[in-house]
Amino acid sequence: MEYVLQAKKISKYFKFGLRSVVVEALKDVSFSVPKGCIFGLLGANGAGKSTAIKILLGLLRQNSGTVEIFSGALNSAAKKRMGYLPETPNFYGFLTGLELVSFYAKLCGLKGKIAEQKAAEALEMVGLSDASGRRVSLYSKGMQQRAGLAQAIVHDPELLILDEPASGLDPVGMSDMAEIILKLKERGKTVLLSSHMLAEVEKLCDEVCILSRGEIAAQGSLDSLLDKPNSAVLNMSSVSEQNVEKVVKYAESLGAKIDGARTGRESLSEFFKSVSKR
Amino acid sequence: MEAVRQRLVLLITLAALALILLSKYLLRLDLGHGVLKFVSDFTGGALTFFGMVISVVAVCQLTHSELERKTVATLLSKPVNFLQFTYGKTLGVAAMLFCFCFAVGLSGWIMVEYTEFSLSKVPPEFLSDKPFSSAGFWVFVLCQWLKLCLIAAMACAVCSVSSSLMFSVTTSFMLVAAGILASIDTGPLADKNIAQIVATVLLPNFNFFSESEKYAFSAPSCIQTSAAAAYAAGYFVIAGAAAAWCFSRRSL
């Protein structure tokens, strides 16, 4: 299997105060991101997700361990093949959306007209083409998040690192963001995303790595982690309450252990999306 | 572009321009110098004082806004390294300082020329001024710009180890003051204590630029100007590299 990114035994500690109190943020963390997959880096607040991402991007130096990106060290050539969306994107407010994304495109080596053209395409992909002429300072939080994604994909990178991509988005925005990420996967891109919104992660990710207090708590494909052999979930529609009871009794007669059965109910998230779809 | 948009920079530039345009009418403050020398010195004073404020405040504000808003993370995730980041910031401020020096220098030059024209009707025996040299005046403005670039680079190095804007601005001004004091002490290094030697080596040596203050009324020295330019460029490069090294070792 070809890996786009490999973190090997990364450790990072911070020293605080005059007494140099040591806080271990990451302890021997190792994971590999296969090419073309959506990889989730999960964990509660303070688990070490952002520290790991900063180390992957070269914004923070690890105390031990190595990071290999495209089978080599992180350098300018590797950075040209990567895109990064920060957790809370904050940009130069005096630029318009198009100017902002063009600026980042130029930093990635794209020239003049091509940079502008690519920026316009990226803004269209994230649904911001109508607001491309507006100043970024006038954007809502959700629009800033989309602009952040546009600057991350403007140079058509092979690897995308998205830190809390759904942060600050409403359910419709989150759903749109998920669609964009899936589209990127269809185009052959590799995506590493960190999140604690598990419902979205479950829909998107092929593999996950769960961090807890700086250590890996679980790692692997979602199927291998979540599948329960010898168990099944039935979703039935057009069925009355009496018939549900009959189905339960029949299943029990076959030796199945029924954990619970109730009449169908839509999730709030699904209901919200259906009534407020733009 | 970001540097030029700072309101404080525009405000200080306007204050400097207003002061220079008023210099002819502030002659009563003169303490026995020639009229042209007074107007020319006024330009030099405005360039140094306001330029110093702009270079320190602009660099500190730009750098800390990048750090506080976390835009630096997005920037450095692109093919941009720490050296490019620090040199980009300081060169941007240097370009803005060039515009400031040109605007202030131009208004000062116009005021000196206008004053010289006004004095052309006065008999020469009543004038104490030496002839004004336009070329020398512009070499002086260039040297002041180099001095301000050097201060900007030093302020960037301070920002690289500081976590607050207030600390960076205050420390940078204190280091400029210490640099001025260290420059006054021109004795040999062997006669100095360790603190003085460190100050002489690390802080900007403003003596390289003090000679240029005479150029408006005497022939500019090519060697002195080249030495000032070489010193400013060297200090700029070293301070920028030191800032990049410090940035690469801190948590962003």
Side-chain angles (χ1 to χ4, degrees):
Chain A
M1 191 179 281
E2 191 183 344
Y3 293 107
V4 169
L5 189 154
Q6 282 181 294
K8 295 174 184 168
K9 293 204 163 199
I10 296 178
S11 293
K12 176 72 192 174
Y13 57 81
F14 295 100
K15 285 182 181 174
F16 293 102
L18 291 173
R19 290 184 182 179
S20 294
V21 178
V22 175
V23 175
E24 279 194 286
L26 292 175
K27 293 172 212 164
D28 284 338
V29 170
S30 300
F31 58 86
S32 301
V33 181
K35 190 178 180 183
C37 97
I38 300 180
F39 188 94
L41 198 57
L42 314 181
N45 290 333
K49 304 188 297 285
S50 293
T51 304
I53 284 182
K54 280 181 182 177
I55 289 171
L56 298 179
L57 290 165
L59 299 173
L60 203 60
R61 282 168 177 254
Q62 67 272 32
N63 295 106
S64 63
T66 54
V67 174
E68 278 186 18
I69 293 183
F70 302 112
S71 307
L74 180 67
N75 52 25
S76 285
K79 281 184 175 180
K80 276 187 185 172
R81 299 164 72 186
M82 289 166 65
Y84 168 59
L85 168 68
E87 185 181 353
T88 44
N90 218 328
F91 300 115
Y92 309 106
F94 56 85
L95 297 176
T96 65
L98 187 63
E99 286 169 345
L100 180 91
V101 182
S102 299
F103 166 71
Y104 284 111
K106 283 171 190 166
L107 285 182
C108 295
L110 300 175
K111 303 257 187 285
K113 290 268 178 192
I114 297 169
E116 270 183 37
Q117 190 193 327
K118 290 277 181 191
E121 284 172 16
L123 285 166
E124 195 176 345
M125 187 171 183
V126 299
L128 271 184
S129 48
D130 290 344
S132 62
R134 216 185 298 166
R135 278 188 178 193
V136 176
S137 59
L138 301 173
Y139 279 11
S140 69
K141 199 175 177 193
M143 288 166 90
Q144 291 217 4
Q145 195 79 5
R146 285 163 189 260
L149 186 61
Q151 66 76 28
I153 61 174
V154 67
H155 55 299
D156 200 22
E158 293 163 53
L159 169 65
L160 272 161
I161 298 180
L162 312 176
D163 195 357
E164 304 282 2
S167 165
L169 294 180
D170 58 34
V172 177
M174 279 163 69
S175 170
D176 290 348
M177 180 67 83
E179 269 176 40
I180 295 167
I181 293 171
L182 285 171
K183 262 187 210 170
L184 290 166
K185 189 197 168 189
E186 280 168 20
R187 290 184 185 183
K189 312 294 177 200
T190 308
V191 181
L192 183 150
L193 62 90
S194 88
S195 182
H196 48 236
M197 302 210 174
L198 301 179
E200 293 299 318
V201 170
E202 198 177 338
K203 280 182 203 163
L204 289 172
C205 293
D206 305 304
E207 286 197 26
V208 294
C209 170
I210 301 173
L211 290 175
S212 174
R213 295 180 183 184
E215 288 177 294
I216 292 180
Q219 190 173 4
S221 69
L222 276 182
D223 292 343
S224 68
L225 294 174
L226 302 181
D227 276 1
K228 284 182 181 174
N230 304 320
S231 70
V233 177
L234 288 178
N235 269 322
M236 296 180 289
S237 55
S238 306
V239 62
S240 66
E241 277 184 49
Q242 292 95 341
N243 284 340
V244 170
E245 278 175 30
K246 282 180 191 169
V247 171
V248 168
K249 278 181 185 164
Y250 180 68
E252 280 174 336
S253 71
L254 292 174
K257 188 186 166 205
I258 307 295
D259 295 325
R262 61 169 176 78
T263 49
R265 182 184 156 114
E266 202 172 7
S267 73
L268 180 62
S269 167
E270 290 296 324
F271 177 73
F272 183 91
K273 272 186 255 177
S274 69
V275 296
S276 61
K277 193 77 180 171
R278 285 193 286 258
Chain B
M1 200 162 86
E2 204 187 354
V4 177
R5 283 175 184 271
Q6 290 183 308
R7 280 183 193 161
L8 187 70
V9 170
L10 294 173
L11 213 68
I12 291 173
T13 309
L14 286 175
L17 291 175
L19 204 67
I20 290 162
L21 294 175
L22 287 171
S23 59
K24 193 172 178 295
Y25 306 99
L26 296 170
L27 278 169
R28 63 186 62 182
L29 298 174
D30 183 29
L31 298 170
H33 290 97
V35 177
L36 293 181
K37 175 102 173 65
F38 180 81
V39 176
S40 168
D41 283 353
F42 227 86
T43 308
L47 267 179
T48 305
F49 178 74
F50 292 110
M52 220 177 266
V53 174
I54 289 178
S55 55
V56 168
V57 173
V59 167
C60 293
Q61 244 178 23
L62 288 178
T63 311
H64 281 284
S65 74
E66 288 274 4
L67 296 173
E68 282 159 21
R69 291 184 307 174
K70 303 269 181 194
T71 42
V72 66
T74 319
L75 211 57
L76 292 171
S77 71
K78 303 291 177 199
V80 174
N81 59 37
F82 286 98
L83 267 179
Q84 288 167 320
F85 172 70
T86 52
Y87 285 136
K89 285 284 155 203
T90 37
L91 283 173
V93 173
M96 187 261 292
L97 286 168
F98 185 83
C99 298
F100 166 80
C101 288
F102 180 75
V104 172
L106 186 67
S107 61
W109 179 76
I110 290 169
M111 280 311 293
V112 174
E113 290 289 346
Y114 172 68
T115 312
E116 197 175 31
F117 174 74
S118 312
L119 293 172
S120 60
K121 292 158 199 162
V122 178
E125 56 270 27
F126 291 103
L127 297 173
S128 58
D129 275 315
K130 289 179 186 172
F132 175 70
S133 157
S134 286
F137 176 81
W138 282 109
V139 174
F140 159 69
V141 173
L142 179 76
C143 286
Q144 294 308 300
W145 174 65
L146 291 170
K147 185 168 88 176
L148 296 178
C149 290
L150 187 146
I151 292 171
M154 188 200 68
C156 185
V158 171
C159 290
S160 68
V161 290
S162 147
S163 54
S164 85
L165 173 65
M166 186 61 87
F167 179 84
S168 296
V169 171
T170 316
T171 309
S172 299
F173 276 124
M174 281 169 68
L175 290 179
V176 170
I180 292 169
L181 291 174
S183 303
I184 292 168
D185 180 9
T186 53
L189 274 181
D191 297 343
K192 294 178 179 177
N193 60 34
I194 293 173
Q196 286 171 318
I197 292 169
V198 170
T200 309
V201 174
L202 290 183
L203 298 174
N205 186 345
F206 294 112
N207 285 330
F208 280 96
F209 309 95
S210 55
E211 196 62 28
S212 67
E213 285 162 17
K214 299 171 191 163
Y215 291 168
F217 296 96
S218 65
S221 159
C222 195
I223 294 168
Q224 293 261 11
T225 310
S226 305
Y231 176 73
Y235 197 97
F236 191 91
V237 170
I238 292 168
W245 187 82
C246 293
F247 272 124
S248 70
R249 265 145 187 85
R250 68 186 276 185
S251 173
L252 294 173

